[in-house]
Amino acid sequence: MSIPRITALLFICCSTASSFAQTDAEPRQWISLFNGENLDNWQIKFTGQSLGVNYRNTFRVVDGVLRVSYDNWNDFNGEFGHLFYDQVFSHYLLRVEYRFVGDQVVNGPAWAYRNNGLMLHSQDPATMTLDQEFPVSIEAQLLGGNGVDQRSTSNVCSPGTHWHRGDELISRHCTNSNSDTYHGDQWVTAEFEVYGNEYIVHRIEGVTVFELNNPQLDESDPDAQRLIQQGASILLKEGYVALQAESHPTEFRKIELLPLPIVEKTNRVF
């Protein structure tokens, strides 16, 4: 990412000019979370299954592509899956190239048609209950079009969490971005700029389509309550990155992460 682009980010989500003091000037390098060969450094959790069970061999690597595949499924009965990278991150740029392919598995929910997502600031998969459907996280929802209707991608959903838009607390489960619709099996590049508990920015094909700030646990949610009881902070400052298996085949050919310097807030006004 170029220096001007990073500089521009210092002013996003703001109604007045903002300034940040950099506290970490070490050189940064991209990390390929997906190595193109196998699922090393990834952990799998399906609803109703123990941690580590790759239910029906859904997550797999074929010809250098990470596939969420349903060719071993006859039907779907709420067995939502998540694939977690085994490292915690707080300040980073995440870039993925994804596409939807094929047909949704029989009995997959209508809303899950051409639906996947990146779970940001996710809870540790080892802390999920056996039958938990989704990890507590901020979900960057990835959606594909049906060939006719408008359907934005890089939306935000919030299992067990809330977030702010400016000073307004957003408690509804999903909020749409202002992205274009991407029909068919085309590859799409999505980026997510994450600065701890400060703010998160979504881009599709280089265009900013969503901005949020101050993600936090939803104190009324049972899964979040359990984390709080275990000592978790209300403010979501870091967590795991995960991708989903929600009943529609999906492919990822690139998943890479650039750690970003930790910055100090100075006179930031949303």
Side-chain angles (χ1 to χ4, degrees):
M1 187 169 65
S2 65
I3 291 177
R5 207 168 153 194
I6 293 176
T7 303
L9 284 170
L10 302 183
F11 298 93
I12 61 175
C13 300
C14 308
S15 58
T16 63
S18 308
S19 61
F20 286 77
Q22 183 172 315
T23 60
D24 184 353
E26 296 179 1
R28 301 285 161 159
Q29 295 184 342
W30 286 95
I31 303 170
S32 293
L33 304 189
F34 171 51
N35 63 18
E37 299 178 356
N38 52 50
L39 297 179
D40 287 357
N41 301 115
W42 293 88
Q43 303 178 73
I44 298 171
K45 178 67 179 74
F46 276 86
T47 304
Q49 303 292 322
S50 300
L51 180 64
V53 175
N54 190 1
Y55 188 58
R56 299 183 179 179
N57 195 30
T58 303
F59 293 108
R60 66 184 76 160
V61 179
V62 180
D63 296 330
V65 173
L66 197 165
R67 292 184 178 177
V68 181
S69 178
Y70 285 90
D71 55 9
N72 291 331
W73 294 62
N74 293 322
D75 61 4
F76 186 83
N77 190 31
E79 305 97 333
F80 297 102
H82 292 83
L83 183 67
F84 298 80
Y85 192 74
D86 66 355
Q87 185 174 338
V88 170
F89 298 102
S90 63
H91 292 63
Y92 57 90
L93 173 63
L94 177 67
R95 179 185 296 153
V96 303
E97 294 180 7
Y98 73 93
R99 69 174 180 175
F100 296 99
V101 296
D103 298 321
Q104 185 181 21
V105 67
V106 174
N107 293 327
W111 54 261
Y113 170 82
R114 290 184 173 254
N115 188 335
N116 202 294
L118 279 300
M119 320 307 278
L120 311 179
H121 284 347
S122 172
Q123 72 178 104
D124 185 337
T127 66
M128 294 178 65
T129 61
L130 182 68
D131 294 325
Q132 188 172 336
E133 293 184 336
F134 305 100
V136 173
S137 57
I138 296 291
E139 177 188 349
Q141 185 187 52
L142 306 178
L143 298 177
N146 62 11
V148 178
D149 302 309
Q150 292 186 346
R151 196 184 192 209
S152 61
T153 188
S154 201
N155 307 320
V156 171
C157 295
S158 52
T161 57
H162 293 324
W163 48 275
H164 285 76
R165 175 170 284 163
D167 292 327
E168 179 186 5
L169 178 68
I170 307 299
S171 59
R172 60 181 172 270
H173 181 56
C174 290
T175 303
N176 289 344
S177 77
N178 61 3
S179 82
D180 293 336
T181 301
Y182 294 87
H183 298 291
D185 296 350
Q186 63 181 302
W187 288 100
V188 180
T189 299
E191 295 179 333
F192 307 97
E193 190 100 16
V194 180
Y195 279 90
N197 184 250
E198 286 297 311
Y199 62 90
I200 300 174
V201 180
H202 295 198
R203 297 188 195 87
I204 295 294
E205 300 295 342
V207 177
T208 297
V209 298
F210 203 102
E211 302 173 0
L212 65 91
N213 57 282
N214 301 120
Q216 61 190 68
L217 296 178
D218 173 6
E219 297 180 73
S220 67
D221 179 83
D223 293 321
Q225 288 175 352
R226 189 165 39 79
L227 295 177
I228 294 170
Q229 292 168 1
Q230 295 170 359
S233 170
I234 300 295
L235 302 180
L236 280 176
K237 300 178 180 179
E238 62 182 16
Y240 292 82
V241 172
L243 57 89
Q244 296 188 301
E246 292 193 300
S247 75
H248 201 112
T250 315
E251 295 184 347
F252 295 85
R253 66 180 181 186
K254 180 180 291 185
I255 308 173
E256 56 186 4
L257 183 146
L258 178 68
L260 296 176
I262 297 175
V263 296
E264 295 179 351
K265 182 174 68 173
T266 57
N267 300 321
R268 183 180 180 85
V269 179
F270 287 96

